[in-house]
Every structure is written in C-alpha cells, then in structure tokens.
Amino acid sequence: MIDLRPHSDGAILPVHAHAGARRNEVGGIQNGRLKVSTTQAPEKGKANTALEKLLAKWLNLRRSQVMLLTGETSPKKDFLVLGLDPVELTHQLEARLSDF
C-alpha cells in the first residue's frame, strides 16, 4: 500500500510522477508511491501543476486541497492533501484503486 504520512494540515501523499506521458492517468502503486502520469512537459512547473490538478480531480477534491510539498524536479514527489487525515485518504485511495 501507499506510505501515507500525517501532516498538521492533512496527509502527505507520496507520488512517482512521469511527465511527458501519452495520457494523464493514475496507474496504480509503485514502490509505496502512487504512480501518476501527465502529458505536460517537465518545464517551468507545468507538469507539477498538471499533477496537482489530476490528483485533485481523481480524488474528488478541490484543486486547492492538493499541493506539491517536495520533489519539484524529481519523479519522487510528496503532495499535501489538505483536510484529509491519512486514514480518510487511505479509504479514498482504496476505493479508487480497487480496479488495479
């Protein structure tokens, strides 16, 4: 499963990102991280912004509830999910990942 961590404002979601992909999609779990791809190129923060939007939509959250914490230039990124604790986020992820 995904190694979610608590944060004073919500939960930290570890992500393995792939920029410049063919499709915007969540592709399951890879090494304890949510695998997410975006078609945006990794330049000037465009891919990170696209990942934030994709994660928010995929988790049925407002865009403002998902923000990049670490990994601006790395494929290994940590996103802060505001307003959800790790238990709540785990339930959301389990429901969404049941198809994988």
Side-chain angles (χ1 to χ4, degrees), residues 4 9 14 17 24 26 36 38 47 53 55-56 59 67 71 80 90-92 95:
L4 301 174
D9 295 324
N24 291 320
V26 175
V36 183
T38 182
K53 290 177 183 178
L55 286 170
L59 291 167
M67 59 191 316
L80 173 59
T90 296
H91 292 302
Q92 286 248 27

Tab-separated table of all heavy atoms in Angstrom, residues 4 9 14 17 24 26 36 38 47 53 55-56 59 67 71 80 90-92 95:
chain	number	residue	atom	x	y	z
A	4	LEU	N	1.361	6.664	3.364
A	4	LEU	CA	0.832	7.992	3.711
A	4	LEU	C	1.399	8.429	5.054
A	4	LEU	O	1.598	7.613	5.951
A	4	LEU	CB	-0.686	7.959	3.781
A	4	LEU	CG	-1.413	7.523	2.508
A	4	LEU	CD1	-2.895	7.406	2.776
A	4	LEU	CD2	-1.145	8.492	1.390
A	9	ASP	N	-1.765	19.761	8.577
A	9	ASP	CA	-2.879	20.269	7.776
A	9	ASP	C	-3.610	19.188	6.977
A	9	ASP	O	-4.526	19.494	6.224
A	9	ASP	CB	-2.389	21.338	6.803
A	9	ASP	CG	-1.878	22.575	7.524
A	9	ASP	OD1	-2.463	22.935	8.562
A	9	ASP	OD2	-0.887	23.165	7.059
A	14	PRO	N	2.762	10.284	-1.124
A	14	PRO	CA	3.948	10.111	-1.965
A	14	PRO	C	3.545	9.661	-3.366
A	14	PRO	O	2.679	8.801	-3.537
A	14	PRO	CB	4.752	9.041	-1.240
A	14	PRO	CG	3.778	8.302	-0.407
A	14	PRO	CD	2.629	9.231	-0.126
A	17	ALA	N	6.008	10.269	-10.277
A	17	ALA	CA	5.443	11.008	-11.404
A	17	ALA	C	6.195	10.713	-12.698
A	17	ALA	O	7.409	10.503	-12.699
A	17	ALA	CB	5.502	12.502	-11.120
A	24	ASN	N	-2.882	11.523	-19.333
A	24	ASN	CA	-2.978	11.901	-17.923
A	24	ASN	C	-3.694	10.747	-17.227
A	24	ASN	O	-4.845	10.458	-17.554
A	24	ASN	CB	-3.788	13.183	-17.743
A	24	ASN	CG	-3.073	14.386	-18.289
A	24	ASN	OD1	-1.876	14.527	-18.151
A	24	ASN	ND2	-3.811	15.265	-18.934
A	26	VAL	N	-3.702	7.903	-13.476
A	26	VAL	CA	-3.152	7.285	-12.281
A	26	VAL	C	-3.007	5.814	-12.626
A	26	VAL	O	-3.950	5.184	-13.097
A	26	VAL	CB	-4.084	7.488	-11.068
A	26	VAL	CG1	-3.552	6.740	-9.859
A	26	VAL	CG2	-4.229	8.970	-10.764
A	36	VAL	N	1.614	8.268	-11.098
A	36	VAL	CA	0.783	9.241	-11.808
A	36	VAL	C	1.549	9.757	-13.023
A	36	VAL	O	2.731	10.074	-12.928
A	36	VAL	CB	0.408	10.430	-10.887
A	36	VAL	CG1	-0.505	11.396	-11.600
A	36	VAL	CG2	-0.228	9.944	-9.599
A	38	THR	N	1.453	12.458	-16.528
A	38	THR	CA	0.848	13.645	-17.133
A	38	THR	C	1.460	13.883	-18.506
A	38	THR	O	2.625	13.547	-18.743
A	38	THR	CB	1.021	14.899	-16.255
A	38	THR	OG1	0.370	15.991	-16.894
A	38	THR	CG2	2.470	15.241	-16.004
A	47	ALA	N	4.296	20.519	-15.393
A	47	ALA	CA	3.948	19.132	-15.057
A	47	ALA	C	3.468	19.041	-13.610
A	47	ALA	O	2.498	18.325	-13.323
A	47	ALA	CB	5.136	18.209	-15.294
A	53	LYS	N	-3.628	19.139	-10.357
A	53	LYS	CA	-4.995	19.144	-10.887
A	53	LYS	C	-5.520	17.731	-11.085
A	53	LYS	O	-6.667	17.428	-10.733
A	53	LYS	CB	-5.049	19.902	-12.213
A	53	LYS	CG	-4.857	21.384	-12.080
A	53	LYS	CD	-4.854	22.062	-13.439
A	53	LYS	CE	-4.591	23.545	-13.317
A	53	LYS	NZ	-4.527	24.215	-14.630
A	55	LEU	N	-4.545	14.910	-9.570
A	55	LEU	CA	-4.777	14.259	-8.275
A	55	LEU	C	-6.050	14.776	-7.619
A	55	LEU	O	-6.832	13.991	-7.075
A	55	LEU	CB	-3.578	14.471	-7.345
A	55	LEU	CG	-2.336	13.651	-7.680
A	55	LEU	CD1	-1.150	14.132	-6.856
A	55	LEU	CD2	-2.588	12.170	-7.436
A	56	ALA	N	-6.266	16.079	-7.667
A	56	ALA	CA	-7.475	16.654	-7.074
A	56	ALA	C	-8.720	16.085	-7.748
A	56	ALA	O	-9.670	15.662	-7.067
A	56	ALA	CB	-7.455	18.173	-7.180
A	59	LEU	N	-9.199	12.315	-6.895
A	59	LEU	CA	-9.621	12.091	-5.510
A	59	LEU	C	-10.928	12.803	-5.168
A	59	LEU	O	-11.353	12.791	-4.018
A	59	LEU	CB	-8.518	12.555	-4.551
A	59	LEU	CG	-7.243	11.722	-4.553
A	59	LEU	CD1	-6.136	12.454	-3.805
A	59	LEU	CD2	-7.501	10.357	-3.941
A	67	MET	N	-1.411	20.116	-2.978
A	67	MET	CA	-0.276	20.980	-3.282
A	67	MET	C	1.035	20.215	-3.154
A	67	MET	O	1.180	19.333	-2.305
A	67	MET	CB	-0.268	22.219	-2.374
A	67	MET	CG	-0.193	21.901	-0.916
A	67	MET	SD	-0.496	23.268	0.223
A	67	MET	CE	0.394	24.586	-0.449
A	71	GLY	N	10.028	17.587	-4.067
A	71	GLY	CA	10.304	16.889	-5.311
A	71	GLY	C	10.001	17.673	-6.559
A	71	GLY	O	9.614	17.097	-7.572
A	80	LEU	N	0.806	17.384	-0.452
A	80	LEU	CA	-0.010	17.582	0.738
A	80	LEU	C	-1.467	17.596	0.315
A	80	LEU	O	-1.853	18.346	-0.581
A	80	LEU	CB	0.348	18.893	1.432
A	80	LEU	CG	-0.527	19.315	2.604
A	80	LEU	CD1	-0.513	18.263	3.721
A	80	LEU	CD2	-0.086	20.668	3.137
A	90	THR	N	-6.573	7.092	2.969
A	90	THR	CA	-6.435	5.660	2.672
A	90	THR	C	-7.743	5.099	2.144
A	90	THR	O	-7.756	4.354	1.156
A	90	THR	CB	-5.988	4.878	3.924
A	90	THR	OG1	-4.684	5.329	4.305
A	90	THR	CG2	-5.947	3.380	3.662
A	91	HIS	N	-8.862	5.458	2.770
A	91	HIS	CA	-10.175	4.990	2.312
A	91	HIS	C	-10.461	5.484	0.888
A	91	HIS	O	-10.957	4.726	0.048
A	91	HIS	CB	-11.285	5.428	3.263
A	91	HIS	CG	-11.220	4.769	4.594
A	91	HIS	ND1	-11.258	3.395	4.760
A	91	HIS	CD2	-11.104	5.280	5.838
A	91	HIS	CE1	-11.175	3.102	6.044
A	91	HIS	NE2	-11.075	4.235	6.716
A	92	GLN	N	-10.150	6.737	0.628
A	92	GLN	CA	-10.342	7.300	-0.714
A	92	GLN	C	-9.501	6.537	-1.737
A	92	GLN	O	-9.977	6.166	-2.811
A	92	GLN	CB	-9.928	8.780	-0.743
A	92	GLN	CG	-10.888	9.700	-0.060
A	92	GLN	CD	-11.567	10.601	-1.075
A	92	GLN	OE1	-11.720	10.269	-2.222
A	92	GLN	NE2	-11.958	11.762	-0.611
A	95	ALA	N	-10.726	2.930	-2.446
A	95	ALA	CA	-11.911	2.926	-3.309
A	95	ALA	C	-11.516	3.190	-4.761
A	95	ALA	O	-12.037	2.558	-5.682
A	95	ALA	CB	-12.901	3.983	-2.829
